[in-house]
Amino acid sequence: MTAGTVIAVDGPAAAGKGTLARRLAAALGLPYLDTGLLYRAVGRRVLDRGADPRDAAEAEAAARSLTPDDLERPDLRGPMADMAASAVAAIPAVRAALLDFQRAFGRERGAVLDGRDIGTVVFPQAPVKLFVTASVEERARRRFLELRGRGVAADAAQVESEIRDRDAQDANRPVAPLRPAADAVMLDTTALDAEAAFVTALEMVRARLR
Ligand code: CDP
């Protein structure tokens, strides 16, 4: 029933898209792609060169020379990497350079892809689109716990302010802004733990595919 199906999972920072999309992919027997990693890897490459992630020429060159190994780097998360990813993601040439890879990945045997523009730009024809949200306070709480779990010192207020800044940057950019597709199913996970979010999402997906 699901072979070749593309499932788009979009939403703001730290809404739990990654955990959810990975579990959906496993349950449905589909490959999974975390598209945020692509933007994170581009941002990281630009930072490595000592350049500004808002520099369009630098960021485009980094996007065009991305390799699979870049996606395995251990330093793709954290406040600097988060903001660098969001900065390069606002550059049209970067998005264009990453588009073919994402489409080819999804077309091969179907896939679950998570990001910001999967349902609006990358796969506007996807039969199932979820837009996963949670209150900004809850998302900040989750990201704070995640950082602490990884042994990263973090300040709760600062984590929340970084998430607000990044959401604003992602939602207000002219190219592929963060917004739900007209035909997306909305899933607010503020009051749901990871298991409840997964069960609810799987039911939504099955209802759409029925
Ligand atoms: O895990 P988290 O929700 O914090 O972020 P992510 O999904 O890894 O995405 C990092 C950044 O990449 C976002 O803030 C967006 O600016 C950008 N991004 C995007 O523009 N389009 C996508 N499809 C995925 C990520």
Side-chain angles (χ1 to χ4, degrees), residues 10-200:
D10 290 304
K17 303 179 300 292
T19 308
L20 179 63
R22 189 173 286 109
R23 288 190 66 181
L24 284 176
L28 299 166
L30 291 170
Y32 163 61
L33 180 64
D34 172 356
T35 65
L37 275 188
L38 302 171
Y39 297 92
R40 289 174 177 280
V42 172
R44 190 75 252 173
R45 267 185 171 250
V46 176
L47 292 176
D48 285 352
R49 285 176 48 84
D52 184 338
R54 289 167 302 184
D55 181 323
E58 284 280 351
E60 183 181 359
R64 294 202 178 282
S65 54
L66 216 59
T67 69
D69 283 350
D70 287 317
L71 307 183
E72 306 293 332
R73 290 180 59 154
D75 51 1
L76 298 180
R77 293 183 190 281
M80 274 265 280
D82 294 349
M83 284 315 276
S86 182
V88 299
I91 299 168
V94 169
R95 306 201 72 85
L98 300 178
L99 198 53
D100 285 351
F101 174 80
Q102 297 175 75
R103 287 191 172 149
F105 186 97
R107 275 198 196 117
E108 202 176 330
R109 350 187 240 120
V112 180
L113 295 93
D114 86 67
R116 301 291 184 285
D117 64 336
I118 307 305
T120 51
V121 175
V122 183
F123 283 105
Q125 310 299 336
V128 187
K129 301 176 184 176
L130 301 183
F131 195 85
V132 184
T133 60
S135 71
V136 68
E137 293 80 10
E138 176 61 16
R139 292 186 285 121
R141 193 186 69 84
R142 291 177 192 167
R143 183 55 42 98
F144 175 73
L145 292 176
E146 184 189 320
L147 287 166
R148 230 182 34 186
R150 287 186 8 235
V152 178
D155 174 79
Q158 216 171 336
V159 170
E160 182 173 325
S161 127
E162 194 257 352
I163 283 184
R164 285 183 190 276
D165 288 351
R166 192 146 59 94
D167 283 352
Q169 183 159 287
D170 290 347
N172 294 320
R173 66 188 177 206
V175 54
L178 167 68
R179 62 176 173 78
D183 54 348
V185 186
M186 305 297 287
L187 174 57
D188 185 335
T189 70
T190 307
L192 303 179
D193 64 14
E195 177 64 22
F198 168 66
V199 170
T200 309

